[in-house]
Amino acid sequence: MSNIINGREISKKRLIEIEEKVKYLSDKYGKVPGLAVVYIGNDKASEVYVNTIIKKCTKVHFYSEKHLLSENVSEDEILDLINNLNKNEKINGIIIQFPLPKGIDENKIKFALSYEKDVDCINPINVGMLYSNSKSFLPCTPKGVIELIKSINQDLTGKSAVVVGRSNIVGKPVAELLQQENLTVTLCHSKTKDLKEHLLRADVVVAAAGRANLIKGDMLKENCIVIDVGTNVVDGKLVGDVEFDSAVKKASYITPVPGGVGPMTIAMLLENTLEACLKQCELKL
């Protein structure tokens, strides 16, 4: 049976560290990090996620703002809001919930967001820095994936990794970050032939395809590490892209859904916002 990688416990420790640093900033400089969350429409899953972010901000004593826009909002209204947040000195980090409504040019929105406040790495400047292995904000979910893998304390240099899913938000950046950690990476997707064949060679599997229970235990190499990014609702329950009950018998380490990657994503978002605050205010801890 696998060892469970408990994202809730790992993220809790990171949040305690963040809270301590914020207290130091507040006491010494009278400054606290500020995060603005922008989301559009009435998607319930997005609403839950955004509310969780705001709660965690309160817990670690961040200043936070939540901006809910109608799904009928115009592109100009979104751009005006982003411009105002870019100028707002109380706001150090901005996160925008995607996807955006039809008719909104996502590239315009990404370019409009200040790269200095882009704490989820969507501005093309930060994306370019990520892929050139330069110092930038790492996208929150991929950063959380890497931190969960590092928590195992195994030397994975030269090991084989398979990422299932090629989204710009998770799959591609995860693959890049794994390569930067010196793993040999294969990026698979919905058009990949013989997915099982690729997975059976993988020492590390990151599942980010958005398809419930896509990966079964018999598709995994014995004693591999499995990080499940998937969040799918099946019969009212949240499940991952990996069929947990069969995979847990093959993997040496595995993340659960829920309780794995999700909590780490928010912790990494707050870490990035704290880092942005320090850079913008030219402060040191």
Side-chain angles (χ1 to χ4, degrees):
M1 295 292 284
S2 305
N3 293 296
I4 305 299
I5 306 174
N6 191 327
R8 286 196 177 103
E9 287 302 314
I10 297 169
S11 66
K12 189 181 294 184
K13 291 177 183 177
R14 301 296 278 264
L15 290 174
I16 290 171
E17 292 171 6
I18 292 169
E19 185 177 5
E20 291 171 350
K21 291 174 181 177
V22 172
K23 186 177 187 306
Y24 177 84
L25 275 180
S26 178
D27 290 347
K28 186 168 183 178
Y29 302 108
K31 174 65 180 176
V32 298
L35 176 66
V37 186
V38 178
Y39 74 114
I40 301 166
N42 54 6
D43 180 74
K44 294 299 179 185
S46 292
E47 185 177 355
V48 169
Y49 177 60
V50 167
N51 287 338
T52 303
I53 291 173
I54 299 300
K55 286 178 183 177
K56 295 300 181 183
C57 284
T58 301
K59 183 175 178 61
V60 299
H61 308 295
F62 276 30
Y63 171 76
S64 64
E65 294 181 3
K66 179 172 68 173
H67 296 271
L68 170 60
L69 304 177
S70 163
E71 59 186 6
N72 298 318
V73 67
S74 70
E75 186 173 276
D76 286 343
E77 287 175 300
I78 301 173
L79 292 171
D80 284 345
L81 172 61
I82 292 172
N83 185 48
N84 288 334
L85 293 173
N86 286 342
K87 295 176 181 177
N88 188 340
E89 293 184 359
K90 293 175 73 174
I91 298 298
N92 305 109
I94 304 167
I95 183 170
I96 301 170
Q97 278 292 96
F98 287 89
L100 300 176
K102 291 181 180 179
I104 304 296
D105 186 337
E106 288 195 0
N107 285 328
K108 276 189 181 179
I109 304 304
K110 291 174 181 178
F111 272 106
L113 178 60
S114 164
Y115 75 93
E116 295 178 318
K117 296 188 177 186
D118 171 30
V119 287
D120 200 20
C121 190
I122 64 168
N123 181 292
I125 293 174
N126 287 332
V127 174
M129 291 176 74
L130 165 67
Y131 286 100
S132 61
N133 199 6
S134 302
K135 183 67 175 174
S136 70
F137 295 117
L138 298 180
C140 301
T141 296
K143 182 180 180 182
V145 168
I146 299 301
E147 291 300 316
L148 289 171
I149 294 171
K150 286 181 176 180
S151 74
I152 300 167
N153 292 318
Q154 286 189 11
D155 182 8
L156 298 173
T157 301
K159 295 288 188 178
S160 173
V162 167
V163 178
V164 184
R166 55 179 169 176
S167 72
N168 292 327
I169 298 172
V170 180
K172 290 178 183 176
V174 163
E176 175 62 26
L177 292 176
L178 287 170
Q179 289 182 96
Q180 291 178 16
E181 296 293 330
N182 298 313
L183 283 87
T184 301
V185 182
T186 300
L187 182 60
C188 295
H189 46 77
S190 60
K191 305 296 184 184
T192 298
K193 295 180 179 179
D194 301 319
L195 176 61
K196 182 176 180 178
E197 183 179 325
H198 291 285
L199 290 169
L200 285 171
R201 295 196 297 266
D203 300 298
V204 176
V205 173
V206 179
R211 291 177 57 188
N213 298 320
L214 170 67
I215 300 171
K216 319 293 184 187
D218 66 357
M219 301 168 71
L220 298 171
K221 181 179 180 179
E222 195 77 39
N223 294 321
C224 66
I225 297 165
V226 177
I227 308 295
D228 192 350
V229 185
T231 51
N232 313 283
V233 178
V234 177
D235 297 328
K237 290 179 61 178
L238 195 64
V239 300
D241 290 354
V242 178
E243 188 182 70
F244 186 84
D245 289 345
S246 60
V248 76
K249 298 172 184 175
K250 290 288 288 292
S252 59
Y253 291 88
I254 189 170
T255 58
V257 176
V261 175
M264 285 300 291
T265 295
I266 295 177
M268 297 302 97
L269 172 62
L270 299 188
E271 275 194 3
N272 284 354
T273 303
L274 172 60
E275 182 183 340
C277 175
L278 294 173
K279 285 182 178 178
Q280 292 160 29
C281 300
E282 298 182 341
L283 300 175
K284 291 186 178 181
L285 292 170

